[in-house]
Amino acid sequence: MLSNVKIHSKSMLNMALTVEWKSEHVTHKDVRVFERYNVWRDLDLMPMEIQKELPGKSTGFKNTYSFDNGELVAPWQSSQFHTIQSDQFKTNLKHNAIVHPHVGRFYPQGFVGGVRDVYSDNMHPCRLVSIDQNKMAFDFNHPLAKYPMTLGIEVFGVADNMGEHGGRCNDAIADALNGPGMQARYPKVVTDFFDNEAFRRVDDAADGLFYASPRMVEHLDRFALEHVANLYGQLLPENSTVLDLMASCNSHLPESLHSCHVTGLGLNQQELESNKVLQERIIHDLNDDTSLPFENASFDVVICTVSVEYLVKPFDIFNEVARILKPGGKFINVFSNRWFPPKAIAIWNELHDFERMGLVAEYYLQSKQFTDINTYSFRGLSRPVDDAHIMQIADSDPVYAVWGTKG
């Protein structure tokens, strides 16, 4: 795309929309990239402020806009709050799967029987907000309906459309807000993530057996890995003492952080030896021994990349991380939508991508040792054309992160 081309009615844009908002305990930032945004077809679906300002701008344009609750999504309506008898909720699925409803979690609207004009194949999410004896209450409103938001736009590239042949209109705002909101607690409700089955795994054998053979592979595509490195570059101070928790052959730190002293704690010696960023390497199975072999206040930052989904005793680990962090230190968890299914905890597979951020945020909240808790998401890039999975997965792996500061 050409940097000097002005945006006009037939432009194609490479841009990102960033939505920032706050729930009761957590600050949230969600970024959605649009690589071929069609101005002629789709701009009139944008908020009026953007419709007026975008034409005539060029690559590098950025701005932010503030919106009250109910302006970017439909305002909260009591008519979208439904109470049903418990036996009207669909619990039996195909292949003998059983749904066990939990307060604060999201379920397809089609699971909620007895609601007018809602059919069983409706997959739009709704939230279970209470269970009282034989009744269940669901909120069908958008999960951001009650939140004011800041919307940011940044244009990375502009090109002339080579010809308009019609096609489906794309509502960028609706796409950007499809998922955000699901990571926050419902007001005055603590999400019930933790039943007796939550931390069960298909493969409950010792993790050391599963990781006995080295896996010298990256778990995300190249674009996602670059974004993880950029995120760490923004969050970690230079010259920090860093613990890479559940480390492997790559700590995903940018060159700007090579001044950091990095300790890797993992399960495979060959993987750790191949990680050239590490100054210290320790073999330790957190699911067998949750105590961390470090003194109090030993680290400025603890990072955990694409591994939090494997922790079977996360509350113990989060408490241990708080112990070894210096006051004001950060604990950062980054993950995506790819993992080793046999070793992931059961609840991880049950949740929507954005609910997983809510699960991890709950670890921080329930530990009561972290402040300034944040969630972050980044989605929308195309997968690199040279990626081995390009024929199966067109989109780059999304990046999700949750972090908090030791109080």
Side-chain angles (χ1 to χ4, degrees), residues 279-297:
Q279 280 88 36
E280 298 180 65
R281 299 167 177 84
I282 298 172
I283 300 298
H284 187 90
D285 184 350
L286 291 176
N287 286 334
D288 179 59
D289 180 2
T290 59
S291 61
L292 291 171
F294 307 105
E295 299 294 327
N296 295 349

Side-chain angles (χ1 to χ4, degrees), residues 52-187:
K52 292 179 178 179
E53 189 167 12
L54 202 56
K57 301 301 190 294
S58 57
T59 298
F61 169 74
K62 62 171 65 175
N63 203 356
T64 58
Y65 312 85
S66 297
F67 296 91
D68 289 332
N69 52 301
E71 289 189 307
L72 285 182
V73 299
W76 196 92
Q77 302 176 63
S78 59
S79 61
Q80 295 298 305
F81 195 93
H82 303 284
T83 300
I84 64 170
Q85 297 296 315
S86 296
D87 60 7
Q88 292 179 292
F89 181 76
K90 182 179 179 180
T91 58
N92 296 311
L93 305 180
K94 295 179 180 178
H95 311 298
N96 299 317
I98 304 295
V99 175
H100 300 284
H102 296 276
V103 171
R105 298 264 296 276
F106 286 86
Y107 301 94
Q109 293 182 14
F111 283 21
V112 184
V115 178
R116 184 177 178 180
D117 296 329
V118 175
Y119 303 99
S120 60
D121 59 351
N122 186 328
M123 298 303 293
H124 287 89
C126 63
R127 195 166 209 165
L128 174 59
V129 298
S130 69
I131 302 176
D132 183 13
Q133 296 180 342
N134 297 320
K135 294 184 177 181
M136 304 169 72
F138 291 86
D139 191 343
F140 279 41
N141 288 284
H142 193 287
L144 288 173
K146 290 186 175 182
Y147 293 102
M149 290 173 269
T150 298
L151 177 67
I153 183 171
E154 183 171 2
V155 177
F156 305 114
V158 183
D160 290 332
N161 192 349
M162 300 307 292
E164 181 54 53
H165 303 288
R168 182 177 67 87
C169 289
N170 295 294
D171 188 337
I173 299 297
D175 287 347
L177 297 179
N178 182 13
M182 298 176 74
Q183 68 267 54
R185 286 178 176 178
Y186 195 79

